[in-house]
């Protein structure tokens, strides 16, 4: 089943009198449980595509179906609902709330979806343990290493059991050892059947995915199919 299906997706930004095409008639289909990497030089359209896939923006033209639902023309309120229920985000800079501890950061998306406090705390504890933070429940972000903060971010992305997980340079701020640990967690999520879409500049990360989409000047330049370990 295709969880992501896009047809002739375009995004053009208006800068004064100038129109700047950022994405040009992109077609893409991603099946449930696939691990996809998106690569390309700066200005190739990676961030624009990620924003569209994450329902953070709407296309200028073209269609996008997420989990079988056409989200191309939804208004901001409906896009916000889709993001909360169907998409998990992992950012390079973690985007944790400094005043909240590990459990509170992880359960935050569940509170927006109306989970009971008891249920959200229980699930947050299970997710924290799954990513190796079983002994860090009460720690705040400043008390954690970069790798540990990214583990919290991964657990938070899983909170509402999303249809897709989008990761934007998830190891970009980490040393090589911490980065390798995060990639192992992502590999494990893939083995558990999660659909992963990762934007990266790192060729090594790209080879871990099943398929690497290379963008250039807003178009898909080529697609590589990788041999998973």
């Amino acid at each position: 089943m295709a969880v992501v299906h896009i047809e002739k997706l375009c995004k053009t930004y208006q800068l004064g009198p100038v129109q700047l095409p950022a994405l040009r008639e992109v077609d893409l289909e991603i099946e449930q449980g696939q691990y996809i990497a998106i690569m390309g030089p700066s200005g190739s359209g990676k961030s624009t595509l990620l924003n569209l896939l994450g329902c953070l923006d709407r296309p200028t033209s073209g269609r996008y179906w997420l989990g079988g639902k056409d989200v191309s023309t939804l208004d901001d309120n409906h896009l916000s609902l889709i993001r909360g229920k169907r998409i998990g985000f992992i950012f390079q800079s973690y985007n944790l709330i400094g005043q909240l501890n590990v459990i509170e950061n992880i359960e935050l998306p569940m509170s927006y979806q109306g989970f009971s406090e008891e249920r959200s705390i229980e699930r947050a504890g299970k997710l924290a343990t799954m990513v190796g933070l079983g002994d860090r429940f009460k720690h705040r972000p400043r008390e954690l290493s970069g790798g540990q903060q990214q583990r919290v971010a991964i657990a938070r992305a899983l909170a509402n059991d999303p249809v897709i997980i989008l990761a934007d340079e998830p190891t970009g701020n980490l040393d090589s050892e911490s980065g390798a640990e995060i990639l192992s967690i992502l590999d494990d999520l893939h083995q558990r059947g999660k659909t992963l879409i990762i934007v990266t500049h790192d060729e090594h990360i790209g080879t871990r995915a099943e398929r690497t989409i290379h963008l250039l000047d807003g178009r898909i330049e080529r697609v590589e199919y990788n041999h998973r370990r």
Side-chain angles (χ1 to χ4, degrees):
M1 170 187 171
V3 294
V4 167
H5 180 78
I6 61 180
E7 292 181 357
K8 298 189 180 305
L9 209 65
C10 297
K11 182 65 181 181
T12 300
Y13 295 101
Q14 189 77 38
L15 300 178
V18 178
Q19 288 192 334
L20 180 63
L23 213 62
R24 309 168 190 250
E25 295 197 342
V26 170
D27 295 323
L28 180 63
E29 190 166 283
I30 299 173
E31 300 293 323
Q32 183 174 348
Q34 287 190 329
Y35 187 168
I36 305 296
I38 299 174
M39 302 188 70
S42 296
S44 62
K46 299 190 306 298
S47 296
T48 299
L49 180 56
L50 187 75
N51 287 340
L52 293 174
L53 291 175
C55 295
L56 295 167
D57 201 356
R58 287 187 294 274
T60 304
S61 62
R63 307 285 293 277
Y64 171 25
W65 289 267
L66 175 63
K69 181 179 180 62
D70 188 350
V71 298
S72 311
T73 59
L74 296 181
D75 60 26
D76 289 343
N77 289 335
H78 283 96
L79 287 178
S80 179
L81 291 173
I82 292 291
R83 288 195 301 272
K85 292 181 177 180
R86 298 192 172 199
I87 303 169
F89 293 94
I90 303 168
F91 300 98
Q92 179 177 344
S93 55
Y94 323 131
N95 287 13
L96 303 178
I97 297 178
Q99 294 81 8
L100 303 182
N101 63 33
V102 166
I103 293 297
E104 291 165 340
N105 266 287
I106 296 171
E107 68 172 327
L108 193 60
M110 291 180 275
S111 68
Y112 294 142
Q113 299 302 322
F115 280 54
S116 68
E117 183 176 4
E118 180 181 4
R119 183 184 173 195
S120 62
I121 290 175
E122 179 184 5
R123 178 161 172 77
K126 289 179 178 178
L127 290 170
T129 301
M130 188 186 81
V131 298
L133 294 174
D135 58 346
R136 296 286 191 274
F137 284 4
K138 298 300 182 182
H139 288 63
R140 288 178 167 77
R142 66 177 179 274
E143 300 170 314
L144 302 172
S145 69
Q148 289 171 332
Q149 290 185 62
Q150 194 60 294
R151 289 168 185 256
V152 179
I154 291 171
R156 181 187 58 192
L158 294 167
N160 288 328
D161 193 22
V163 173
I164 58 173
I165 297 171
L166 300 178
D168 187 6
E169 300 284 359
T171 62
N173 285 342
L174 303 177
D175 59 59
S176 57
E177 182 178 353
S178 297
E181 292 172 353
I182 293 302
L183 291 177
S184 292
I185 292 174
L186 295 177
D187 285 345
D188 181 62
L189 291 178
H190 173 244
Q191 294 299 320
R192 292 169 180 256
K194 294 297 181 183
T195 305
L196 303 177
I197 305 171
I198 296 182
V199 169
T200 181
H201 284 94
D202 190 331
E203 293 281 353
H204 172 65
I205 297 176
T207 61
R208 301 176 80 103
E210 293 173 296
R211 184 165 34 129
T212 303
I213 312 290
H214 292 269
L215 295 181
L216 183 65
D217 297 332
R219 294 186 173 92
I220 294 179
E221 179 190 30
R222 70 184 190 278
V223 178
E224 293 178 345
Y225 294 87
N226 305 313
H227 297 289
R228 299 277 300 170
R229 295 184 304 276

